[in-house]
């Protein structure tokens, strides 16, 4: 098969790595290489960051009004809308995500860019009601500088958009480092940014491996903010890199999110919510509802209905419209899933469904929807993220026990609560320590709704009205109104 060839976008130019080195991206549905991309090293990262710094200082970008930046973002949203089918197909091929899901995500991106475009010229500072009558002071939001965006493979376009759009709305420039497993659509996004009219150097993309390309980018002294989405182990490297220059950081990390089903819930909806939470996207979702906490009275019925529904899931080629579950994005991820399911059983969990690769033609990295019953909440499968279609289910007696289990986690990204009791829904929404709470729904996202986690799920929030502020520095300006000469210089004013 002939490989598709991609180049990187640096300073508005399409370039190979200076070393000439390349790597392959694999199609997870086939388990074979489909594209060749530049393997950027330190020298390429240097070029990209320098270009971003020059663009940050140049009048072509710095001199644009916030309204003009918003218009560029709006145009970028329109261009994405015009090319949405192509982008959806490309992402599905590159990371094995279902075409129906990539269509949904890409289809929403124009809305996301339009929403953020509207925020660009609403970054108002304030005048300060000072306690000093001869002084006037005000605050201004200014861009930070060069931003590094580090993107994982599971939803590359969406997770890039929620960094890129606010960073540009605020007037920053950016160097993106997509995952080596899913770079193609991010390069296309950079092409559309140039077409939309963003000046050269404002949006750059370097492709390559995390420990080389990613590390070189995050430790670069000109990078003033790092927006990272990925796993905790990588995040620790990134935090250490940021310490060199005290770059600002946002970390969107993993989760072990509880989906809590009470006996009074609409069970059909709860079963669908459980499927949406853990089997959609083959469980490769940061907000996966991977812990199912089910009240005693409905436990048996819920589990039976979940198994019945999950057994009907159509596993197959992600580019087929009829498929409901595609492959794992990487062979390593499949191996991790297999190892964790085996470990769960060795620790005492009971396999109720799945636990193996489905019998399908070809070499794709597929895994069956899997359910493990746990008698104890301290099993590894209840505590560690799998990032695959594996749910661990456990019973609880009452609300207090459900809450204790929900919060017994190093993570705090999301939680689902299924109940018809309004008071209980609000109590748990208040008491569960997670950044996102879904009541009688799961995996809902919106440009207007912040995403981010408590505890080891990271810090900072993306999306929503404040997301642009996270890409600004706040400056305070003091004006002396007094005509009198400056008083005693040795006393603080
Ligand atoms: P990952 O291995 O941590 O990789 C994330 C990104 O970091 C990739 O671009 C990776 O590049 C890069 N990277 C790796 N080592 C690096 C280093 N030393 N310095 C700088 N960058 C480096 O995560 P993943 O496996 O791609 O994604 C899965 C994780 O992301 C899960 O834990 C999931 O929960 C989390 N996630 C969180 C959210 C959220 O919004 N909270 C959303 C989606 C995913 P390479 O891939 O090329 O190595």
């Amino acid at each position: 098969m002939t490989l598709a060839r991609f180049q990187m976008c640096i300073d508005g130019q399409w370039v190979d790595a200076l070393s000439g080195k390349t790597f392959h991206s694999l199609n997870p549905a086939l388990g074979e290489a489909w594209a060749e991309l530049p393997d950027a090293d330190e020298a390429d990262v240097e070029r990209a960051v320098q270009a971003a710094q020059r663009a940050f200082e140049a009048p072509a970008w710095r001199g644009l009004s916030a309204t003009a930046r918003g218009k560029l973002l709006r145009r970028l949203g329109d261009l994405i809308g015009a090319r949405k089918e192509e982008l959806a197909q490309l992402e599905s091929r590159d990371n094995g995500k279902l075409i129906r899901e990539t269509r949904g995500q890409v289809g929403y991106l124009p809305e996301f860019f339009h929403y953020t475009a509207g925020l660009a010229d609403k970054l108002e500072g304030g005048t300060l009601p000072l306690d000093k009558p001869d002084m006037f002071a005000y605050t201004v939001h200014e861009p930070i500088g060069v931003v590094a965006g580090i993107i994982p493979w599971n939803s590359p376009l969406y997770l890039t958009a929620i960094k890129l759009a606010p960073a540009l709305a605020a007037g920053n420039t950016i160097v993106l480092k997509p995952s080596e497993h899913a770079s193609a659509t991010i390069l296309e996004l950079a092409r559309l940014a140039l077409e939309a009219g963003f000046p050269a150097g404002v949006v750059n993309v370097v492709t390559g491996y995390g420990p080389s390309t990613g590390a070189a980018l995050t430790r670069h002294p000109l990078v003033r903010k790092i927006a990272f989405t990925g796993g905790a182990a990588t995040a620790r490297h990134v935090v250490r890199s940021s310490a060199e220059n005290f770059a600002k950081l946002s970390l969107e990390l993993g989760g072990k999110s509880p989906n809590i089903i009470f006996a009074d819930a609409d069970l059909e909806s709860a079963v669908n919510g459980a499927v949406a939470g853990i089997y959609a996207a083959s469980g490769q979702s940061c907000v996966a509802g991977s812990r199912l906490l089910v009240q005693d009275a409905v436990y048996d019925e819920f589990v039976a209905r979940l198994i019945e529904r999950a057994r009907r899931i159509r596993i197959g080629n992600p580019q087929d419209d009829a498929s409901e579950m595609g492959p794992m994005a990487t062979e390593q991820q499949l191996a991790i899933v297999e190892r964790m399911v085996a470990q769960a059983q060795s620790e005492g969990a009971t396999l109720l469904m799945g636990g193996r690769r489905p019998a399908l033609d070809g070499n794709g990295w597929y895994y069956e929807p899997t359910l493990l019953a746990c008698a104890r909440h301290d099993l590894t499968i209840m505590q560690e993220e799998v990032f695959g279609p594996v749910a661990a289910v456990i019973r609880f007696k009452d609300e207090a026990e459900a809450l204790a289990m929900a919060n017994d986690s190093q993570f705090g990204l999301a939680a689902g609560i299924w109940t018809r009791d309004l008071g209980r829904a609000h109590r748990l929404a208040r008491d569960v320590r997670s950044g996102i709470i879904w009541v009688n729904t799961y995996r809902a996202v919106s440009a207007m709704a912040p995403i981010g986690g408590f505890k080891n799920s990271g810090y900072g929030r993306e999306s929503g009205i404040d997301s642009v502020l996270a890409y600004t520095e706040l400056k305070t300006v003091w004006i002396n109104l007094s005509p009198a000469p400056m008083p005693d210089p040795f006393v603080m004013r």
Side-chain angles (χ1 to χ4, degrees):
M1 182 186 161
T2 334
L3 294 178
R5 279 206 75 237
F6 288 87
Q7 290 182 300
M8 301 183 284
C9 182
I10 297 180
D11 207 6
Q13 304 295 313
W14 293 94
V15 297
D16 295 323
L18 288 169
S19 67
K21 285 192 190 152
T22 59
F23 67 96
H24 289 166
S25 187
L26 310 182
N27 179 336
L30 304 174
E32 63 184 35
W34 76 276
E36 185 177 26
L37 300 106
D39 179 6
D41 63 18
E42 195 128 18
D44 302 296
V45 169
E46 183 65 30
R47 280 197 294 172
V49 176
Q50 291 291 353
Q53 180 66 29
R54 278 196 306 278
F56 179 66
E57 289 163 4
W61 179 239
R62 194 133 201 174
L64 278 188
S65 69
T67 309
R69 292 199 301 266
K71 283 184 180 161
L72 288 177
L73 279 171
R74 177 160 273 280
R75 202 175 303 153
L76 176 53
D78 291 341
L79 289 173
I80 293 169
R83 303 268 295 280
K84 62 183 181 201
E85 180 59 21
E86 194 185 319
L87 289 167
Q89 293 284 355
L90 192 58
E91 188 144 301
S92 175
R93 174 192 269 204
D94 206 14
N95 72 353
K97 210 172 172 66
L98 281 187
I99 185 67
R100 53 163 85 180
E101 168 114 327
T102 58
R103 275 194 190 119
Q105 283 192 351
V106 178
Y108 189 62
L109 288 187
E111 299 290 328
F112 187 85
F113 277 89
H114 292 169
Y115 171 80
T116 314
L119 296 175
D121 56 7
K122 290 159 195 77
L123 297 176
E124 297 173 352
T127 53
L128 309 182
L130 287 183
D131 49 359
K132 300 178 192 310
D134 58 353
M135 293 280 194
F136 171 62
Y138 58 93
T139 56
V140 218
H141 292 283
E142 294 190 354
I144 301 172
V146 178
V147 174
I150 309 284
I151 319 293
W153 41 259
N154 61 332
S155 293
L157 269 177
Y158 186 73
L159 295 170
T160 299
I162 63 180
K163 297 168 178 54
L164 179 72
L168 298 181
N172 301 280
T173 57
I174 196 162
V175 181
L176 295 161
K177 195 324 245 167
S179 167
E180 90 231 24
H181 304 294
S183 302
T185 49
I186 308 313
L187 293 165
E188 289 310 302
L189 186 60
R191 192 181 303 285
L192 295 182
L194 285 173
E195 200 178 322
F198 285 95
V202 170
V203 179
N204 308 274
V205 184
V206 286
T207 53
Y209 297 99
S212 49
T213 320
L217 178 59
T218 52
R219 66 170 175 257
H220 197 289
L222 287 177
V223 167
R224 302 301 342 160
K225 164 146 183 162
I226 304 167
F228 174 83
T229 302
T234 315
R236 290 194 175 90
H237 287 291
V238 171
V239 172
R240 278 184 213 108
S241 295
S242 74
E244 283 303 309
N245 314 297
F246 303 112
K248 293 175 169 45
L249 257 184
S250 64
L251 299 176
E252 299 285 353
L253 310 181
K256 191 76 201 176
S257 299
N259 219 343
I260 312 168
I261 292 105
F262 284 92
D264 69 344
D266 171 344
L267 273 202
E268 188 170 343
S269 290
V271 165
N272 278 331
V275 170
I278 190 63
Y279 302 132
S282 303
Q284 299 172 114
S285 169
C286 54
V287 293
S290 49
R291 283 189 291 153
L292 295 171
L293 317 183
V294 187
Q295 195 158 20
D296 261 336
V298 290
Y299 180 91
D300 291 339
E301 185 185 351
F302 175 84
V303 166
R305 286 171 73 164
L306 177 61
I307 291 174
E308 189 279 321
R309 177 65 191 88
R311 287 216 163 110
R312 285 190 283 117
I313 292 175
R314 287 188 298 267
I315 307 175
N317 189 330
Q319 288 179 286
D320 181 341
D321 280 320
S323 296
E324 293 175 326
M325 248 180 80
M328 302 286 89
T330 68
E331 200 167 10
Q332 301 91 294
Q333 194 58 38
L334 178 60
I336 292 170
V337 171
E338 289 182 322
R339 179 175 52 71
M340 289 188 75
V341 170
Q343 183 182 356
Q345 292 176 86
S346 74
E347 288 181 14
T350 307
L351 183 68
L352 300 179
M353 171 180 69
R356 58 182 181 194
R357 302 179 186 202
L360 294 174
D361 292 340
N363 297 323
W365 303 313
Y366 295 90
Y367 198 75
E368 286 188 356
T370 296
L371 186 64
L372 290 151
C374 299
R376 292 189 357 234
H377 195 259
D378 60 354
L379 301 192
T380 309
I381 199 72
M382 277 287 180
Q383 297 291 334
E384 298 289 338
E385 185 180 44
V386 177
F387 223 58
V390 179
V393 63
I394 191 165
R395 315 169 168 265
F396 67 84
K397 282 193 308 290
D398 54 21
E399 188 179 315
E401 193 182 17
L403 177 63
M405 278 186 192
N407 284 338
D408 174 25
S409 175
Q410 60 175 309
F411 297 109
L413 187 55
I417 300 162
W418 299 84
T419 180
R420 289 188 170 102
D421 180 333
L422 188 63
R424 169 189 284 152
H426 280 291
R427 275 193 303 278
L428 287 170
R430 180 192 63 197
D431 295 338
V432 172
R433 304 281 300 153
S434 293
I436 307 166
I437 305 283
W438 286 301
V439 177
N440 295 332
T441 185
Y442 208 87
R443 238 175 141 237
V445 291
S446 162
M448 291 115 203
I451 305 171
F454 287 23
K455 301 192 267 185
N456 287 5
S457 294
Y459 43 74
R461 294 292 180 270
E462 296 185 313
S463 293
I465 204 157
D466 293 333
S467 60
V468 183
L469 290 179
Y471 288 87
T472 64
E473 296 275 19
L474 188 65
K475 180 181 277 181
T476 307
V477 181
W478 290 77
I479 311 285
N480 184 3
L481 301 175
S482 168
M486 177 86 178
D488 182 354
F490 300 103
V491 176
M492 207 164 84
R493 294 205 70 197

